[in-house]
Amino acid sequence: MIRLLAFLALLAASGPALAQTPIPKFDYDAAKPLSPTFGAGHTLAPGIRAYAITFHSEDRIITGEVVEGVGEHWHGGLLCVHWLGDAKTTNHTEFEADAAILAQVGVTSLLIDAPWSDPHWFPALGKSADADIAFSRGEVVDLRRSLDMLEQLPNVDPDRIGVLAHDFGAMFAMMLGAVDHRPKAFVLMAPNDSLGGWYLWEKTIPDRDAYLAKLAPFQMAPYAARLAAPGGVMFQVTDHDDYVTKAQTQALYDAVPDPKFISWFHISHALDDGYGSTASDRDTWLEGRILEPPDRRFGRF
């Protein structure tokens, strides 16, 4: 019992320290045009329209899909960032089913293809710490630009934005939320606590310690401590994860400010139980946080 109380006291004391740990700013020029291009519309599900999209972020082009919320009213908006896992869903399609369900109640979603959708992306990591730092910085900027794009989609209410992300996507979403407070709610699925550690997963490099020291600014706990989401942060995690320990997960969750909620499952890192219950849980949670009507003072109704 004494050890438990000491541990809890340590966690409580670490919160302010984590929030004061320096992190990069991830600044960018928001005035640069996004220059979007839109593909032909198609039916994703009965009554649900979707279309391909590309837009610009610094010197990079982001691809993905927009799933339109039903109705002509102002819509909540959702940015979806997929995982690195099964090749079939290591792209924007991982969250198509979620987006279709939420579209029925009026949420417009932007689903992007992250760099890890390229099968050559992960093997190249770890060869240069400087290159991986530059990439990491650029990916956070890409997510900020994705928020810019989401806000410009038809009828999206910028005051009701959420983020749904998994695995690497969840880690970068956490970094996004630490520096960009536009999203009102986050669902973070199975994040790890060290970006550098995951870049080197099952890899052997001669200067591993030096590499990880350079990537130290991308430890996740200080970002978790800065998440400012008035609608809350939901963790969807598993105690049967082959890549993330329960202790790593709990430490990240403990660092996140309230309001927050954690949902433990007894399934794999994919967080797919085959019955759709994990998706239903997160979609219902998000619906309650980004579908509240906007402030009528702004004349949107």
Side-chain angles (χ1 to χ4, degrees), residues 5-195:
L5 291 175
F7 175 68
L8 293 175
L10 179 62
L11 283 177
S14 69
L18 287 173
Q20 295 171 10
T21 303
I23 61 173
K25 293 182 178 179
F26 305 109
D27 291 335
Y28 69 104
D29 184 358
K32 285 188 175 180
L34 292 162
S35 304
T37 59
F38 304 100
H42 62 276
T43 300
L44 181 62
I48 305 301
R49 181 177 179 272
Y51 52 87
I53 187 172
T54 64
F55 55 96
H56 291 256
S57 173
E58 295 186 326
D59 59 346
R60 299 173 294 278
I61 295 178
I62 301 173
T63 64
E65 182 180 30
V66 174
V67 180
E68 290 187 337
V70 172
E72 299 300 322
H73 54 283
W74 285 87
H75 299 152
L78 184 65
L79 174 63
C80 300
V81 194
H82 63 82
W83 73 331
L84 172 58
D86 188 307
K88 293 180 180 178
T89 54
T90 299
N91 52 60
H92 74 268
T93 64
E94 181 188 5
F95 290 121
E96 276 188 331
D98 296 80
I101 292 295
L102 288 166
Q104 295 175 9
V105 293
V107 175
T108 291
S109 298
L110 173 61
L111 300 76
I112 63 169
D113 295 309
W116 41 94
S117 62
D118 180 348
H120 301 292
W121 175 79
F122 185 76
L125 295 170
K127 297 177 181 178
S128 167
D130 291 338
D132 295 347
I133 289 169
F135 163 78
S136 303
R137 179 258 170 203
E139 180 58 19
V140 178
V141 170
D142 286 355
L143 295 190
R144 299 192 73 183
R145 292 297 274 167
S146 297
L147 287 181
D148 294 343
M149 188 70 254
L150 178 59
E151 290 182 339
Q152 293 184 24
L153 295 176
N155 292 345
V156 169
D157 178 6
D159 293 330
R160 293 185 290 154
I161 298 294
V163 177
L164 169 58
H166 187 184
D167 184 83
F168 270 116
M171 297 171 76
F172 279 101
M174 198 177 300
M175 295 162 71
L176 166 72
V179 298
D180 196 319
H181 297 160
R182 285 177 288 178
K184 300 302 184 290
F186 288 82
V187 173
L188 303 174
M189 300 167 58
N192 202 330
D193 65 348
S194 170
L195 201 56

Side-chain angles (χ1 to χ4, degrees), residues 78 94-99 101-102 163-166 186-189 234-236 261 263 265 267 270-273 276-290:
L78 184 65
E94 181 188 5
F95 290 121
E96 276 188 331
D98 296 80
I101 292 295
L102 288 166
V163 177
L164 169 58
H166 187 184
F186 288 82
V187 173
L188 303 174
M189 300 167 58
M234 179 187 196
F235 271 53
Q236 278 198 320
F261 173 75
S263 185
F265 295 91
I267 51 180
L271 285 169
D272 181 2
D273 62 359
S277 60
T278 52
S280 177
D281 285 353
R282 61 181 176 256
D283 295 343
T284 300
W285 188 89
L286 279 166
E287 179 182 339
R289 283 152 182 83
I290 61 175

